[in-house]
Amino acid sequence: MTDPASQHAGLPHAVFLHRLAGESQSSAPEPRLGRAAFVTLRLVDLLGPEHTTLHPDAFHYQYVATARCCRDLPPGVTETSHLLGLVRGTGDAFRQRSAGLVLPALFAYAHYLEDEMRLEEALDVLDTLLQVGGVKLTPADAVGARLRRARVYRKLNEFDAAEQSYAEGGALAATVGDKHSELLSRIGRAEAIRGRGNLAEAERSLRGTLVEAEAIDDRQAQALAHHVLAAVLQTGGRPADAISHAWVAFQSYGDEISQGRALADLGGLLLMAGQTTGAQCALREAVRRGGAQDYASNALIELMHCASFCRDRVGFERWREECDARRAGMPPNILADFLLKAGIGRARFGQFDRAEALLAAALQIAETAGLHEFVFRIERIKNGLRDCQRSLASGCEVLEAPELASDAVREVSASVARLES
């Protein structure tokens, strides 16, 4: 298990062995955690229907070896706790012949990995959950696993797989009368459609879903529908229309993580509308709440963007450095956004050669990941970069980001500013 990860491409759960690649010391924390996750999930596999005749001694041997491996992991690390819990849950499930006993630990580990943006690993854990649970999964678990798997696929920009998994989850929810999950499935599919660039269809679907959520007073589904609708309107170049939906989403969510995501998105929208004070307040609050979450990375990128918009060179460098420290853990969409807005910032400060290099890097990442909307936006900005340079050289003032604020937008901006008071 200390061989290069590429040699294990055909193994189940080999994605966890990728952490060994490039590490000079196998005793470093990440390789040890990756190796432990690999052997732990191989242990979980023994609960699958194909291992019903496995002799208890064979399971016990593998269980003891896996438990020893996990006990040697760094203490006080969240992932260590998840792996130890998985080992205990697998042992209980095997002894009682009930795979359902390990499902909560699998759900929790998958959620942790998703929050840490280890998306391929999260997908592996969710696939393991569906395989081990099989036909014995409760309807709630079967629906929940498919919707969560769809969300991970969407974050990986694998939209075909995401839409299929959303459809599967929605169909299962409909058969058991779970209207809430059915609405979540439709909202998720609309978000995948947005990722493909079909904004009109995404907006139509979301407005219809919002009507249904309001009819049954499903506040969580309403909040999510408003939030995704704000994203669709933003993508379509209608930030002023999107702001009210993002604010309603923030007010309607019942958990801090969802509120933080809404604040991060709201900050970006307020910046697009020229409301820099409200934007900075929303973004700083999102960073404060977010920690290592992906939405905090988005908020940091927007703070960097806001600083360059205000021609605050010190602020731009400060936020750029914080973004750069997170770069290794950024998925393609966030990384492309960071490089794009870092490039825009360099151009605003007259560093056009550095801006061009950053935009080229952003374009390559977007093209490789199939982020078509990003590709179009980056190409448009990159093609106009030298025109901006000539305009500045000739002394012409370049007007950008005109004021888009209505009374409603200004009211939201003022409300956000009060969050820090």
Side-chain angles (χ1 to χ4, degrees), residues 227-414:
H227 196 171
V228 178
L229 183 54
V232 171
L233 295 171
Q234 175 186 3
T235 305
R238 298 155 62 187
D241 294 337
I243 284 170
S244 61
H245 289 286
W247 179 244
V248 171
F250 167 70
Q251 292 179 304
S252 301
Y253 279 129
D255 65 285
E256 187 157 306
I257 290 177
S258 296
Q259 288 179 336
R261 291 187 187 281
L263 278 175
D265 293 341
L266 181 58
L269 289 166
L270 288 168
L271 177 59
M272 293 175 70
Q275 298 291 297
T276 56
T277 300
Q280 288 173 321
C281 290
L283 295 168
R284 285 194 297 264
E285 181 65 12
V287 171
R288 186 190 69 80
R289 295 178 184 220
Q293 301 255 1
D294 59 339
Y295 74 79
S297 296
N298 284 325
L300 284 169
I301 292 168
E302 290 303 324
L303 281 166
M304 177 190 71
H305 194 47
C306 189
S308 70
F309 173 78
C310 296
R311 302 308 190 269
D312 175 6
R313 182 67 176 272
V314 174
F316 171 78
E317 294 294 350
R318 172 197 170 189
W319 297 119
R320 183 195 59 75
E321 288 178 2
E322 291 206 29
C323 291
D324 205 47
R326 294 171 173 245
R327 181 168 172 168
M330 290 180 179
N333 60 322
I334 296 180
L335 181 56
D337 193 41
F338 167 48
L339 295 173
L340 167 62
K341 288 172 179 171
I344 292 171
R346 292 299 181 195
R348 283 170 171 165
F349 294 115
Q351 298 174 316
F352 287 97
D353 288 340
R354 297 178 72 178
E356 194 163 28
L358 286 164
L359 292 174
L363 182 61
Q364 182 178 7
I365 290 168
E367 287 177 336
T368 301
L371 303 172
H372 305 302
E373 190 271 333
F374 262 116
V375 169
F376 173 78
R377 190 166 12 133
I378 295 166
E379 284 181 335
R380 178 173 54 82
I381 294 171
K382 189 172 182 291
N383 291 338
L385 193 61
R386 292 303 171 180
D387 290 337
C388 292
Q389 184 178 14
R390 285 189 291 270
S391 297
L392 288 174
S394 65
C396 298
E397 183 177 353
V398 180
L399 180 65
E400 55 182 329
E403 178 80 18
L404 299 175
S406 63
D407 288 342
V409 169
R410 281 188 284 270
E411 183 179 345
V412 171
S413 181

Side-chain angles (χ1 to χ4, degrees), residues 171-204:
L172 281 174
T175 61
V176 296
D178 183 353
K179 187 63 178 178
H180 173 71
S181 294
E182 194 176 353
L183 290 172
L184 295 185
S185 168
R186 290 173 57 185
I187 294 168
R189 291 184 72 187
E191 196 158 12
I193 291 170
R194 176 182 77 92
R196 292 183 183 278
N198 190 345
L199 303 182
E201 173 60 21
E203 182 178 352
R204 184 201 63 76

Side-chain angles (χ1 to χ4, degrees), residues 81-94:
S81 300
H82 279 289
L83 293 173
L84 289 170
L86 260 179
V87 173
R88 287 193 298 269
T90 305
D92 293 340
F94 186 84

